[in-house]
Amino acid sequence: MAKTPANTHVVIAGAGLVGALLAIQLGRRGYKVTLCERRPDPRTNGFIGGRSINLALSCRGITALERVGLADRVLADAIRMPGRMLHDEAGNLTFQAYSSNPEDAIHSVSRGGLNVTLLEALAEYDNVVMLFEHRCVGADLDAPAIEVEITGGESKRIEADYVIGCDGAFSAVRAVMQTQNRFNYSQQYLDHGYKELTIPPASECGVDPALHNGFAMDPNALHIWPRGHYMMIALPNADRTFTCTLFWPFEGSESFDEISSESAVLPFFEKHFADAVPLMPTLIEDYTKNPIGSLVTVRCSPWHKFGNTVLLGDAAHAIVPFYGQGMNSGFEDCRVLGELIDEHDGDFGEVIREFSKRRIPNANAIADLALDNFIEMRDSVANQMFLLRKRIEHALHAIDAERYMPLYNLVSFSNMPYADAQEVGSKVVRLAQNIADAIGLESGQTMSDAELSRVVAEYISKD
Ligand SMILES: Cc1cc2nc3c(=O)[nH]c(=O)nc-3n(C[C@H](O)[C@H](O)[C@H](O)COP(=O)(O)OP(=O)(O)OC[C@H]3O[C@@H](n4cnc5c(N)ncnc54)[C@H](O)[C@@H]3O)c2cc1C
């Protein structure tokens, strides 16, 4: 019998952000999908996270959501962040726009809310079966099939035409692929971990609610407290709270190891994050109770085996969160896979081979960019030369948006493949640095934006 979507069975391990979006992509095209998730159904049991409470959604994620008609629904609950708000040790605030185009912004969304929205959207597809409390514990790559353990003890085998691992950074499907000949794999932990803390609504921390529409700080920014070898960031939530994430070394001076007792927390925060302390009435409790998460970069290749098993999202390419691109790149995986299905007229085996080939260089590029951006966020954003270079990048972008799109814009506000963005964006960074060197820090700092723009235009006209 000829293979059509209706008689092609795809089993997906993991109904997180990527697994759920992929199931929608396949469900819409008529595939018979079984989605197995180890956790209980978050639509009825509440979302059990374990990772960041909120996430920055940007162009690539939005484009993928548009393809399944969900972008407007998700953006309706999101909070626009058109720039960073830097907090120095004295509590001075500096806003840095992400782009010279005021339309450009990243958006803070709730991880749980987004996951539930995707699962709710799946309910309309009779061809998609969702199985919660079904943990994938193994895979048979020849069949293909997955082995699942149902909460309570029973185990079963689910056979399919194709197996897709969307089961996150510690993927069970990938673990089986790792036992195969010529499967490349690496994982690299950062020396830094993270801990989440909370800033409640203005009314609960003594801030006038009229100042920021009920928030304790300006909600339309990603707040950063850059402190050299560590930093804290805060993203707004729809309930007028902020979730702060402290990125800190595990060991050494000024680390999770060193600040481990209740009595050490407050003095440390008062010294380094003084303006945040009055906004964090539950600081000590949050700090002592909340776990420390680790940050890992996972690279592997190929992402498929035998043309019948493939990995998407963090299962294929977990990255550190400093470019806010982990979910966005996983959503882009779903879009690209969907496009390839359409291009290859449904020849799924060919689709996943091509997908793996096309996506791996891009995943490696964003993995590298995310590692680099940690240094930019925690350190460079407070460096005067860096700030001048950023102003020059914005001036170049305003002069010719197509030709001089800065790296951040290419990554966050475009769908250009990451590897191309890395190459094109690096050229703009180099050009901006050359202009900054030619102008000199002191005179650059005293120039108004209009003056700087004129000097930049003059420089490139001679270039
Ligand atoms: C602190 C932090 C901040 C972040 N911020 C951002 C951000 O701002 N923007 C951004 O784009 N990305 C961000 N990310 C990255 C983002 O969280 C991930 O890239 C994204 O969650 C990947 O989605 P996924 O579905 O591939 O994996 P996951 O979200 O890990 O989902 C995997 C799913 O599979 C299930 N599962 C796991 N194992 C099994 C199994 N054996 N059987 C069945 N089910 C299983 C899990 O329960 C889960 O539901 C951040 C990450 C961290 C740690």
Side-chain angles (χ1 to χ4, degrees):
M1 192 170 46
K3 274 286 174 205
T4 63
N7 65 22
T8 302
H9 180 205
V10 182
V11 62
I12 302 175
L17 299 172
V18 173
L21 180 60
L22 181 68
I24 299 175
Q25 283 270 15
L26 298 178
R28 281 162 70 90
R29 288 177 169 81
Y31 288 92
K32 212 175 135 212
V33 178
T34 304
L35 185 59
C36 297
E37 166 60 43
R38 67 175 178 194
R39 294 189 176 133
D41 186 346
R43 293 168 303 172
T44 46
N45 297 280
F47 182 78
I48 307 166
R51 308 267 230 112
S52 63
I53 288 166
N54 50 24
L55 303 134
L57 172 71
S58 50
C59 177
R60 293 164 202 268
I62 295 169
T63 307
L65 290 168
E66 273 166 1
R67 293 293 163 88
V68 298
L70 287 175
D72 289 343
R73 196 143 115 209
V74 172
L75 287 174
D77 297 328
I79 300 174
R80 266 187 110 244
M81 299 183 293
R84 302 163 164 155
M85 186 71 82
L86 302 185
H87 297 239
D88 73 12
E89 287 209 342
N92 299 310
L93 301 183
T94 313
F95 180 78
Q96 286 176 4
Y98 283 127
S99 168
S100 63
N101 179 353
E103 299 289 303
D104 289 334
I106 59 174
H107 305 263
S108 181
V109 294
S110 143
R111 179 186 291 271
L114 178 54
N115 209 161
V116 166
T117 300
L118 295 171
L119 295 172
E120 280 173 355
L122 270 174
E124 73 177 80
Y125 300 103
D126 294 340
N127 47 328
V128 179
V129 175
M130 293 185 256
L131 302 173
F132 293 94
E133 300 184 66
H134 279 57
R135 176 191 290 268
C136 170
V137 289
D140 172 348
L141 302 178
D142 292 309
I146 60 168
E147 305 291 333
V148 290
E149 246 173 43
I150 303 167
T151 306
E154 194 190 323
S155 295
K156 70 177 178 189
R157 176 182 167 93
I158 304 178
E159 296 208 346
D161 295 294
Y162 299 97
V163 166
I164 305 190
C166 293
D167 46 347
F170 304 100
S171 167
V173 176
R174 191 191 64 228
V176 178
M177 290 166 78
Q178 281 171 232
T179 64
Q180 300 292 304
N181 191 23
R182 301 192 62 224
F183 184 82
N184 301 299
Y185 172 74
S186 75
Q187 77 177 29
Q188 184 77 45
Y189 280 96
L190 222 58
D191 292 337
H192 291 67
Y194 71 94
K195 188 188 275 283
E196 294 194 321
L197 305 165
T198 305
I199 292 182
S203 56
E204 291 171 41
C205 53
V207 175
D208 178 357
L211 275 179
H212 304 294
N213 192 23
F215 286 87
M217 308 183 291
D218 183 350
N220 296 116
L222 189 154
H223 291 259
I224 310 185
W225 290 258
R227 296 293 180 263
H229 74 288
Y230 60 90
M231 68 174 178
M232 182 165 78
I233 66 167
L235 270 74
N237 299 307
D239 64 1
R240 293 183 161 64
T241 62
F242 280 87
T243 303
C244 305
T245 313
L246 187 61
F247 292 100
W248 239 6
F250 280 102
E251 286 148 18
S253 124
E254 301 183 327
S255 66
F256 283 119
D257 217 16
E258 192 181 79
I259 313 296
S260 56
S261 67
E262 264 187 47
S263 59
V265 176
L266 199 55
F268 185 85
F269 271 71
E270 276 172 341
K271 184 164 173 212
H272 297 289
F273 305 116
D275 66 328
V277 171
L279 311 180
M280 303 171 102
T282 54
L283 169 64
I284 295 178
E285 199 185 328
D286 290 349
Y287 189 92
T288 15
K289 277 199 189 142
N290 293 350
I292 305 172
S294 53
L295 298 164
V296 67
T297 301
V298 168
R299 300 176 204 247
C300 64
S301 71
W303 289 353
H304 75 93
K305 200 70 204 169
F306 306 138
N308 63 22
T309 302
V310 67
L311 304 170
L312 262 79
D314 276 18
H317 52 87
I319 60 176
V320 295
F322 305 112
Y323 232 119
Q325 287 295 313
M327 164 192 65
N328 285 290
S329 61
F331 280 6
E332 191 174 59
D333 287 346
C334 298
R335 171 179 67 79
V336 171
L337 193 88
E339 286 170 1
L340 286 170
I341 291 174
D342 299 339
E343 267 173 45
H344 289 81
D345 210 16
D347 178 349
F348 218 94
E350 188 49 32
V351 165
I352 61 182
R353 284 191 181 87
E354 178 61 24
F355 171 76
S356 166
K357 205 161 87 192
R358 204 181 279 191
R359 291 298 287 163
I360 288 173
N362 293 311
N364 286 334
I366 190 59
D368 292 339
L369 290 170
L371 286 163
D372 292 348
N373 216 43
F374 186 27
I375 298 165
E376 175 164 328
M377 285 177 85
R378 70 182 203 219
D379 201 3
S380 315
V381 285
N383 171 302
Q384 295 308 314
M385 192 51 159
F386 170 86
L387 295 181
L388 176 60
R389 199 190 80 210
K390 279 279 160 196
R391 284 178 66 208
I392 295 171
E393 284 182 25
H394 285 191
L396 285 165
H397 186 220
I399 292 167
D400 188 338
E402 289 286 303
R403 188 157 175 211
Y404 300 118
M405 200 183 270
L407 182 59
Y408 189 89
N409 299 46
L410 289 164
V411 169
S412 303
F413 308 131
S414 95
N415 291 305
M416 180 185 282
Y418 287 118
D420 297 348
Q422 186 180 32
E423 197 186 318
V424 174
S426 305
K427 284 187 190 148
V428 177
V429 169
R430 279 198 297 276
L431 174 61
Q433 188 60 55
N434 289 344
I435 300 176
D437 291 340
I439 296 173
L441 179 60
E442 261 177 50
S443 54
Q445 276 180 314
T446 55
M447 281 181 195
S448 67
D449 285 346
E451 226 176 324
L452 188 67
S453 179
R454 193 183 45 74
V455 173
V456 169
E458 208 173 281
Y459 185 98
I460 54 173
S461 70
K462 290 187 206 139
D463 200 25

